[in-house]
Amino acid sequence: MAAEDEPPTLDQVQTLRNELKERISLEAEGMFDTRDVDKLMKEDGYLARFWIHSFFIPGDRVENAVNLVIDTFKWRKDFGVNDITEDDIDSDILDRGSLYYHNRDKKGSKLLVFCIRKHNKDAKKMDIMKKMLIYILERLEKEEDGKKITIIFDSEGAGISNFDLEQVKFLIHVLISYYPNFVEKILVFEMPWILNT
């Protein structure tokens, strides 16, 4: 049996691509962004991330990898991931310093830091915050060429008014469902006891 982080063989790559071409042709036209499909068909490393991620899903690995790709591409098209630009980002939120990437961990993974004490919950800006998060994940993916990242939740000095559960749930859902094999680890620094639950 293959190890969890072992990339697919050339035969498995070909099988995956054939299955994906068939599934994509069965879907309604316009369900996927052609930029995503082209990337998957050209870059073995990108396809391998879905293969590796599907190791943890019970059932047939090829079918799971194909389903993961289809679900990811539908979400990316619906969310407009490839069309998010720096103009869509609220510079006030960015300047506040609640979300940034900087330095690397011991394994060489880029650090994505959530400085929770600098974050202010605002239901009106939730969609903008989500777009900003996706924009930063996409930049990291391009800059790091698909290498894994480490996420740090810096909770030092944070309180209930700073902690945004909906944003954290969105991040975790997106990373598990739509950014396969992208996170090396998640670290939480100085979580206040009141937030442990």
Side-chain angles (χ1 to χ4, degrees):
M1 184 170 169
E4 67 184 63
D5 59 350
E6 189 174 308
T9 64
L10 290 176
D11 287 342
Q12 290 166 331
V13 167
Q14 195 58 49
T15 301
L16 282 170
R17 286 202 170 119
N18 290 338
E19 290 279 333
L20 283 162
K21 284 176 188 172
E22 187 177 321
R23 282 285 300 277
I24 288 169
S25 69
L26 295 174
E27 296 288 338
E29 192 173 324
M31 287 289 283
F32 309 106
D33 189 317
T34 55
R35 293 169 284 188
D36 292 328
V37 176
D38 290 344
K39 180 178 178 180
L40 190 81
M41 294 303 169
K42 291 176 184 168
E43 296 180 21
D44 290 349
Y46 188 52
L47 182 64
R49 288 174 52 194
F50 289 94
W51 174 258
I52 291 167
H53 196 80
S54 67
F55 177 86
F56 300 101
I57 305 170
D60 181 62
R61 193 167 183 182
V62 172
E63 184 180 336
N64 290 336
V66 168
N67 289 336
L68 188 60
V69 169
I70 296 296
D71 291 345
T72 298
F73 285 6
K74 283 181 180 177
W75 173 81
R76 288 177 66 84
K77 172 77 173 183
D78 289 343
F79 199 86
V81 171
N82 290 320
D83 297 319
I84 298 173
T85 65
E86 201 166 334
D87 296 334
D88 298 319
I89 308 304
D90 186 335
S91 60
D92 292 338
I93 296 172
L94 203 55
D95 292 343
R96 197 180 313 143
S98 60
L99 177 64
Y100 60 93
Y101 57 94
H102 186 66
N103 287 339
R104 296 185 182 277
D105 67 9
K106 286 184 176 183
K107 287 188 170 182
S109 300
K110 192 70 127 177
L111 300 174
L112 176 61
V113 180
F114 290 85
C115 189
I116 296 174
R117 74 177 173 275
K118 294 180 180 179
H119 177 72
N120 295 324
K121 285 193 283 189
D122 187 351
K124 295 177 206 158
K125 292 193 174 190
M126 183 56 67
D127 289 337
I128 293 169
M129 299 277 299
K130 288 178 180 179
K131 276 188 176 183
M132 185 175 87
L133 178 61
I134 297 304
Y135 174 76
I136 288 176
L137 288 175
E138 286 295 304
R139 277 188 62 173
L140 277 168
E141 190 168 281
K142 286 177 184 137
E143 289 175 15
E144 295 297 297
D145 197 25
K147 289 189 283 186
K148 291 184 179 185
I149 63 169
T150 292
I151 297 175
I152 298 177
F153 288 99
D154 180 0
S155 304
E156 185 179 30
I160 297 289
S161 64
N162 305 111
F163 194 74
D164 193 341
L165 187 59
E166 186 177 342
Q167 190 77 11
V168 172
K169 283 169 41 178
F170 174 76
L171 171 67
I172 300 300
H173 173 69
V174 161
L175 291 172
I176 289 172
S177 304
Y178 309 125
Y179 284 86
N181 200 42
F182 190 49
V183 177
E184 180 69 40
K185 59 185 154 273
I186 297 176
L187 305 170
V188 180
F189 178 71
E190 293 290 325
M191 177 69 83
W193 68 270
I194 194 82
L195 298 177
N196 278 339
T197 56

